[in-house]
Amino acid sequence: MSTNSFVTNKLSVELSIVIVGMNHLSKLKNLFNSLLGEGKTTRSHEIILVDNCSTDGSVEYVAANYPGVIIYQNDTVRGFAANNNQGVSVSSGQYLFICNPDMVILPGAIDEMIKFHESNPGVGIVCPKLLNSDLTYQYSVRRFHNLKVLALRTLSWANDEWTNKYIRKYLMLEFDKSKTQLIDWALGAAMVLRRSVYQQLGGFDEKFFLYVEDVDLCLRCWTAGFTVVYCSQAVCIHDHQRASTKGINVLLWHHAKSMAYFFYKHKLLWRPARGFEELRQPEDNVFHRG
C-alpha cells in the first residue's frame, strides 16, 4: 500500500478511531459501550470498523446500533497490518487511535494521549497503561527482543511469571507503572499516532500477517527520530487472550513466522535492536503535560 493513501482525505476531524474485527461481536459490544459512553473522547472524531469477514453478525449489529460508524467489509481475510492500513486509508483524522476490539476505554484515556502528543511534538506513538479484565496490571510494555530473550520466551511458552533476569528486563518489571516515560514498544492493542508520523513510517508493514507488527512499527518510529511513550494517565482494559501461547496451533505458527521476519528485516541476528536507552535525546526526558 502506498504511503500516499494515508493522506488522500481532507483532515475533517481531530481523531480517527480504527478498529479491526473478526467475529468479535461480544468484544465489540463492550468496546462501543465504552467508546460512546464513559470513555468517549471530547475531540471531534470518527470511528472506522474494518471487518475481516466476520460471520457472527458483527457488521449487522454495529450498523443497526451505531449508524455513524464507517464500516469497511473485506471480501477475503487479511492480516492485522493490512486491515489497519485499510482503515487509516479511508480515515480523515489528524490523530489515529489504533484500537483492538477486545478493549474497554476508561474515562479520559483517549484525550490524555492526544494532549500528550500536543504538548510533546517529538513523540511518535503514545500507548496507555493496560489492565487485565480483573483490573490487575498487564505487562504490555517491553524492551526490544534479542536472540537470548527470544530463546527464553520460547522455552517458557512466553510465561510472564518467569523470574529469569533477562525476562524481567525484557518485560520491564522494575519500571514505575505510575510514571509516564519512554519505552521501546508496547502492545499494539491501543496506540495513538499523528497521521503525519503514520504516513512517514509507511503505516504497518503488511508482510506481518499477525503479531510483531507493533514491535516493528515502534522500532521504525525510534529509528525515524520519534519517541514511543507509555502514558500512565491514560488507562484502558485489555481482555488479552494470548492464544498463540496456548500450545501448538496456527497462531503460534504466525507468531514464529513474524518473529523470524522481524529479525531478518532489521538485521538483528548478530546485534540487538537499539531502543530508547540508546536513541533518546536529552530533550526527550522532559515531558510537558499541557
Side-chain angles (χ1 to χ4, degrees):
M1 176 177 292
S2 167
T3 57
N4 291 330
S5 63
F6 301 138
V7 289
T8 53
N9 302 308
K10 183 179 179 180
L11 302 185
S12 58
V13 293
E14 292 177 274
L15 175 69
S16 296
I17 301 171
V18 179
I19 305 161
V20 176
M22 183 177 181
N23 294 322
H24 287 105
L25 178 57
S26 63
K27 306 294 185 185
L28 287 171
K29 289 180 179 180
N30 293 331
L31 172 59
F32 277 101
N33 282 340
S34 66
L35 273 177
L36 299 175
E38 292 186 350
K40 184 176 181 178
T41 177
T42 61
R43 306 300 184 105
S44 62
H45 64 281
E46 62 185 0
I47 301 176
I48 298 166
L49 172 65
V50 180
D51 182 76
N52 204 20
C53 302
S54 293
T55 58
D56 65 348
S58 296
V59 170
E60 293 79 6
Y61 174 83
V62 173
N65 291 278
Y66 305 102
V69 173
I70 301 167
I71 300 176
Y72 183 92
Q73 290 181 264
N74 283 350
D75 295 325
T76 58
V77 173
R78 306 181 73 195
F80 179 86
N83 280 313
N84 274 293
N85 286 346
Q86 178 61 53
V88 173
S89 74
V90 299
S91 70
S92 59
Q94 178 185 358
Y95 292 95
L96 305 168
F97 179 32
I98 305 299
C99 181
N100 272 16
D102 55 0
M103 297 293 301
V104 172
I105 311 304
L106 297 186
I110 298 174
D111 289 350
E112 280 290 340
M113 289 186 281
I114 295 176
K115 283 167 56 181
F116 194 89
H117 268 292
E118 290 175 336
S119 300
N120 300 277
V123 171
I125 300 174
V126 176
C127 302
K129 176 192 290 185
L130 296 186
L131 304 178
N132 295 307
S133 297
D134 62 2
L135 302 186
T136 57
Y137 175 76
Q138 187 171 110
Y139 298 119
S140 62
V141 174
R142 315 281 171 87
R143 284 186 170 85
F144 289 126
H145 302 77
N146 57 45
L147 287 178
K148 180 176 290 186
V149 165
L150 180 61
L152 291 170
R153 293 291 277 175
T154 301
L155 289 173
S156 68
W157 290 95
N159 181 3
D160 289 344
E161 304 304 319
W162 249 33
T163 58
N164 180 280
K165 65 178 182 179
Y166 299 105
I167 297 301
R168 293 186 66 82
K169 182 178 179 180
Y170 163 72
L171 292 174
M172 296 181 69
L173 298 186
E174 312 302 332
F175 94 128
D176 185 351
K177 305 173 184 63
S178 66
K179 179 183 176 182
T180 294
Q181 57 193 289
L182 299 173
I183 57 172
D184 278 358
W185 70 280
L187 297 182
M191 52 175 54
V192 172
L193 305 88
R194 285 186 181 84
R195 174 181 292 273
S196 58
V197 172
Y198 198 91
Q199 177 199 10
Q200 183 172 333
L201 298 178
F204 286 102
D205 183 343
E206 297 184 13
K207 290 183 180 179
F208 294 99
F209 183 82
L210 194 60
Y211 302 116
V212 192
E213 64 284 306
D214 45 8
V215 193
D216 171 74
L217 186 71
C218 289
L219 179 53
R220 288 188 286 119
C221 183
W222 273 109
T223 55
F226 301 102
T227 61
V228 181
V229 172
Y230 161 86
C231 183
S232 62
Q233 291 80 10
V235 185
C236 300
I237 297 171
H238 181 210
D239 186 16
H240 193 22
Q241 300 301 308
R242 302 192 68 195
S244 70
T245 67
K246 298 176 181 178
I248 298 175
N249 55 40
V250 67
L251 296 179
L252 178 62
W253 162 245
H254 282 304
H255 205 156
K257 184 178 179 182
S258 291
M259 188 60 71
Y261 172 57
F262 173 78
F263 272 78
Y264 172 78
K265 173 182 178 179
H266 295 286
K267 299 179 174 61
L268 301 178
L269 293 176
W270 310 116
R271 63 174 179 84
R274 299 176 69 201
F276 74 92
E277 293 172 319
E278 296 87 7
L279 297 174
R280 64 184 174 187
Q281 301 297 317
E283 60 270 20
D284 294 334
N285 292 322
V286 182
F287 293 142
H288 306 283
R289 296 304 309 162

